[in-house]
Amino acid sequence: MAYFLWDDEGVAQFVKSFEPELEEQFYSLPSNVERSDVFRILVAKWIGGIYGDMDTEPLRNPSSWITTDDLRSWEDSETNQLYGAAGPIRAIVGLEADCPPDSDAYWRMGYAEPVQLTQWSLAAAPRHPISQTFLDRLSTNLRNTTSTKTSQKHSPSNQAALNSIDPLLLTGPAAFTAAVKEWLVTTTGLRWNALSGLADGGQSKVVGDILVLPITGFSPGRGIYGNMGSKSVNDPSARLFHHAQGSWRKTDFVVEAGKFCRTKYQKSGYCRQPTTSVVSITAMRVLWFLKRLSRMVRGQSLRRLAFPLTLLIIAVSLGLYLLLAYSLANDPRLVPIAFQEAKSILLVTAHPDDETLFFSPTITYRQNDAGVKRSLLVISSGNYDGLGDKRQSELHSSCDELGIPEDRCVVLDIAELQDNPKQWWNEDMVKDLVTSYKEKWHVDLIVTFDNGGISGHINHRSVSAGVRKYVQSTPDAPAAYMLQSTPLLRKYSSLLDLIPTSIPFTWRILKALLTTPLGRQVEHNTVHDVVPLAAYNSKALIVSSWRTYRVSRAAFSQHDSHRTTQEQDEASKQDTLIEIFEELNQPRIMTVPGRRAEVSEKWRIDYTIEHVHLRLIRRSCKNAEVCAIGLQSEYGPGAGKSIKVLGSLYECCDSTYDA
């Protein structure tokens, strides 16, 4: 058996010699994969033989691909028409998709036909009519797609038009299937879906002089998903195995949506008829639009697409807002039952104004529910600049706007827990305070900062550590949630932030759209979500409605002293800290969480640095001078300072760190 491998130069010579009238159209195709699709047909037409992709592996000698069993007569069960071999077999094709014709499973897996042929392998005698049919259809499609106003097939407008067509439909398996289907239906009257092997266990079928192999022929060993009757690679009907090593295709939103729908709901039957669900129709239209847009990008400049892309981002953001703030605002997959069933909610913050700066959607959630008592515990009065009394008064005005009773709007003024951007508060004291007010108010849900403190303020982070310590040390502690810190740019991106925010919740949003929570009555042709609601308690997504947003803005306006000189100084030091983290030529030190680290006066660094690996010391020590590293503990005004030298750096590049 001889093998032929054509390079680009050989392909060009072949096309010019054998099919010169197709040469211009051949090279007008936008991608190499499309030219490869066409070239295999050209070789089959003029030379004949067996084609296989580079990642296919013959499971048996091609000389034994046709057996006596393959040539048996067969009957179409619907038309009762009998088919069989009337002469030599001059072409062999195989199925890659075999789906029930009366279902939509094929489009959910991205196929154009319920019964579709593969193109990673085929065999044909020279000048078989299916090859010419394929080329004629391609030439017609190219003429109809490209502009008649210009003779230049490579013009930008023509290339953009060709880019808009899915290669699978233009030159790929769908196009090959259409060509074979046209020839067989025209010459033999074949009912195309009669080629399915689902009902007869995967029987080979001869139609005219073409042998159509079942899906196991060229696509054996498929998994549970999308099996379609495919048998093992060891089955006698398996001729060739496709390893599928990589793909030229980019992500297709419609195909991926179809895969999700089939994989998740194949047992329940949901999504079998997209017309039964408004959500399905809308989702598929949006995905279709995104698919078209992704193809347009290949043929258009970024400048021309900037305006429509901007409109798209704004539209998606508004759509997500309406969806999350209204339609799905109380879905337990997004807002866990811990929030929806809580009777006494406690928000723990560090300073006055934190409740509106960071927690507005949460503090206004269920605001009008008479059965819910909301409480606010502020650990310090924010007296760093001597404005503690004023800020306390502003906090009570804010609570009044938020509808929090005065006796549940508590701001503390404890000497050891004063507002200080350089002081890590005693976690045990915070823990004891939370314990006390939890018992006093019978709290069943706690909300506070996460490890990053939202803004990075050391007091915020110590509050988070104190609440975490309480939860971990208290067996009967209520559910506690920490607000996730986000990058600075996202904090000021308004509704646009809904796009990155929604990404981790994509699966939950889809389930909220397509299923009904367990325990509730099924509505709108959906099915029950079989996952218990408690499984969704790990995170929550709360979006303010327009009404609650206005309430939180009114509360925020009560804090007219929240911008202080202290905050400006803190911002300046944060810039310095960022520079230290990013620049490797700065000294790096590792500290214990909750402590304040200082480098010698030479470096003039006086700010908290945490969780920096020691290995960075050696990486940053080129030509550095000797300096001492110390660890300073500070628990509050008047607590005193204790400095313990842990080690020194000598000739930094060869130094050791003795802790």
Side-chain angles (χ1 to χ4, degrees):
M1 180 180 293
Y3 294 87
F4 295 89
L5 178 64
W6 277 272
D7 58 12
D8 290 346
E9 183 179 354
V11 169
Q13 292 177 356
F14 187 98
V15 174
K16 188 171 185 178
S17 300
F18 287 92
E19 206 83 33
E21 67 279 2
L22 190 67
E23 183 178 13
E24 184 178 5
Q25 288 185 328
F26 180 81
Y27 284 104
S28 72
L29 293 170
S31 65
N32 286 330
V33 69
E34 291 165 305
R35 287 185 280 274
S36 173
D37 288 340
V38 176
F39 186 71
R40 71 191 68 177
I41 303 299
L42 289 174
V43 174
K45 172 186 174 181
W46 291 104
I47 298 178
I50 301 170
Y51 170 82
D53 277 358
M54 293 291 289
D55 58 353
T56 57
E57 175 188 354
L59 298 176
R60 67 192 206 204
N61 194 302
S63 63
S64 64
W65 279 10
I66 302 177
T67 67
T68 304
D69 288 340
D70 297 324
L71 303 179
R72 288 184 302 173
S73 298
W74 63 281
E75 183 180 8
D76 184 345
S77 59
E78 291 191 16
T79 65
N80 297 322
Q81 185 171 347
L82 191 65
Y83 297 91
I89 299 299
R90 301 187 65 246
I92 303 175
V93 295
L95 303 187
E96 73 165 342
D98 192 358
C99 302
D102 58 349
S103 78
D104 54 15
Y106 70 95
W107 67 258
R108 286 193 267 124
M109 288 189 287
Y111 297 114
E113 297 266 3
V115 176
Q116 183 166 301
L117 302 178
T118 181
Q119 204 187 20
W120 56 65
S121 186
L122 58 93
R127 296 183 180 275
H128 194 285
I130 61 173
S131 300
Q132 189 59 51
T133 302
F134 176 92
L135 296 173
D136 290 343
R137 289 176 59 88
L138 172 65
S139 183
T140 300
N141 288 338
L142 291 176
R143 284 197 303 270
N144 293 338
T145 302
T146 54
S147 174
T148 58
K149 297 180 181 179
T150 175
S151 60
Q152 297 296 323
K153 298 296 182 183
H154 299 280
S155 66
S157 60
N158 284 337
Q159 287 297 298
L162 292 175
N163 274 324
S164 67
I165 304 177
D166 191 331
L168 297 177
L169 301 176
L170 182 62
T171 62
F176 181 65
T177 299
V180 176
K181 179 180 180 180
E182 178 181 320
W183 171 253
L184 290 179
V185 170
T186 302
T187 59
T188 69
L190 174 72
R191 184 179 64 87
W192 180 253
N193 289 332
L195 296 176
S196 172
L198 295 178
D200 57 24
Q203 177 186 342
S204 297
K205 296 177 175 65
V206 176
V207 185
D209 60 356
I210 300 177
L211 172 61
V212 182
L213 299 177
I215 194 169
T216 307
F218 287 161
S219 188
R222 297 180 67 125
I224 296 176
Y225 167 71
N227 178 270
M228 297 178 286
S230 174
K231 301 174 185 177
S232 165
V233 293
N234 298 319
D235 190 85
S237 61
R239 273 77 166 177
L240 173 142
F241 181 70
H242 185 220
H243 288 277
Q245 295 177 338
S247 175
W248 55 269
R249 297 185 62 184
K250 294 181 173 62
T251 299
D252 188 313
F253 293 104
V254 174
V255 172
E256 296 307 316
K259 289 179 180 178
F260 161 77
C261 188
R262 176 178 171 85
T263 303
K264 189 61 184 174
Y265 301 111
Q266 57 182 332
K267 293 183 179 179
S268 65
Y270 185 65
C271 290
R272 288 180 61 86
Q273 300 297 332
T275 55
T276 62
S277 173
V278 175
V279 173
S280 297
I281 295 174
T282 304
M284 294 308 294
R285 285 176 177 173
V286 170
L287 293 172
W288 174 85
F289 173 75
L290 292 175
K291 177 182 177 182
R292 296 280 296 182
L293 181 64
S294 67
R295 291 179 187 150
M296 289 171 57
V297 171
R298 289 182 287 176
Q300 302 290 332
S301 66
L302 185 60
R303 180 178 299 178
R304 293 177 62 183
L305 290 172
F307 181 69
L309 284 176
T310 301
L311 290 180
L312 175 63
I313 292 172
I314 294 174
V316 171
S317 300
L318 288 174
L320 284 172
Y321 175 71
L322 295 175
L323 188 69
L324 299 174
Y326 295 95
S327 300
L328 304 179
N330 294 308
D331 192 283
R333 275 73 63 91
L334 300 175
V335 184
I337 54 176
F339 276 87
Q340 299 195 30
E341 297 181 356
K343 300 300 181 184
S344 180
I345 303 174
L346 172 62
L347 173 61
V348 184
T349 67
H351 316 112
D353 77 17
D354 288 347
E355 80 286 352
T356 53
L357 275 174
F358 309 118
F359 296 94
S360 291
T362 303
I363 200 66
T364 56
Y365 183 69
R366 298 178 67 191
Q367 181 189 19
N368 295 328
D369 190 339
V372 179
K373 295 181 179 179
R374 293 170 297 132
S375 308
L376 175 61
L377 176 62
V378 184
I379 302 299
S380 81
S381 62
N383 195 39
Y384 186 78
D385 287 316
L387 299 173
D389 292 340
K390 180 175 177 56
R391 297 189 71 180
Q392 287 190 58
S393 176
E394 292 172 348
L395 177 70
H396 287 292
S397 298
S398 173
C399 285
D400 185 57
E401 293 287 346
L402 294 170
I404 299 176
E406 185 174 357
D407 61 335
R408 286 178 173 262
C409 181
V410 175
V411 55
L412 304 176
D413 189 10
I414 302 174
E416 293 81 5
L417 301 175
Q418 291 295 309
D419 181 7
N420 190 334
K422 301 178 183 179
Q423 178 184 355
W424 183 275
W425 288 342
N426 189 314
E427 298 169 16
D428 289 324
M429 293 185 67
V430 175
K431 169 197 164 188
D432 293 340
L433 290 170
V434 173
T435 302
S436 174
Y437 282 94
K438 182 268 178 185
E439 297 298 332
K440 178 180 179 180
W441 290 329
H442 305 289
V443 172
D444 54 5
L445 177 65
I446 299 175
V447 180
T448 190
F449 303 99
D450 70 350
N451 297 341
I454 313 304
S455 66
H457 197 295
I458 191 172
N459 296 161
H460 297 179
R461 288 154 49 214
S462 54
V463 167
S464 174
V467 174
R468 192 183 314 112
K469 194 168 188 177
Y470 160 73
V471 172
Q472 293 174 349
S473 62
T474 308
D476 61 343
Y481 286 81
M482 298 183 296
L483 182 63
Q484 183 179 3
S485 297
T486 57
L488 183 64
L489 180 62
R490 288 181 55 186
K491 293 178 183 178
Y492 295 97
S493 58
S494 188
L495 293 182
L496 299 181
D497 185 53
L498 281 172
I499 297 177
T501 298
S502 299
I503 291 175
F505 288 87
T506 301
W507 182 249
R508 295 188 181 208
I509 293 173
L510 288 173
K511 296 190 79 171
L513 288 171
L514 301 175
T515 66
T516 298
L518 194 65
R520 298 186 183 180
Q521 184 177 358
V522 175
E523 298 177 352
H524 306 302
N525 297 318
T526 63
V527 295
H528 262 132
D529 182 0
V530 297
V531 179
L533 295 183
Y536 296 103
N537 284 342
S538 60
K539 56 185 178 181
L541 176 58
I542 302 176
V543 180
S544 293
S545 66
W546 179 248
R547 182 189 63 80
T548 56
Y549 169 75
R550 293 178 63 186
V551 170
S552 60
R553 288 296 300 178
F556 176 75
S557 66
Q558 305 303 314
H559 297 282
D560 58 4
S561 63
H562 68 281
R563 295 192 178 277
T564 65
T565 305
Q566 172 260 327
E567 288 185 341
Q568 295 174 2
D569 292 341
E570 180 183 343
S572 174
K573 290 187 177 181
Q574 285 179 337
D575 290 340
T576 304
L577 178 62
I578 293 172
E579 184 179 352
I580 293 174
F581 270 85
E582 293 179 348
E583 297 293 331
L584 289 179
N585 61 350
Q586 296 288 345
R588 298 294 201 272
I589 59 180
M590 182 177 183
T591 72
V592 180
R595 301 294 184 265
R596 176 176 163 209
E598 291 185 349
V599 183
S600 63
E601 181 64 20
K602 174 181 177 59
W603 297 100
R604 296 181 182 177
I605 298 173
D606 185 16
Y607 201 74
T608 301
I609 308 172
E610 293 187 7
H611 302 299
V612 182
H613 294 297
L614 288 174
R615 61 183 177 82
L616 292 180
I617 295 176
R618 293 193 177 92
R619 294 179 61 187
S620 64
C621 288
K622 290 184 178 180
N623 302 320
E625 297 183 16
V626 175
C627 61
I629 293 181
L631 187 67
Q632 175 176 308
S633 300
E634 184 174 337
Y635 292 94
K641 298 181 179 179
S642 173
I643 300 178
K644 178 181 179 182
V645 176
L646 299 181
S648 299
L649 298 179
Y650 300 100
E651 300 293 330
C652 284
C653 291
D654 299 318
S655 68
T656 59
Y657 187 85
D658 182 12

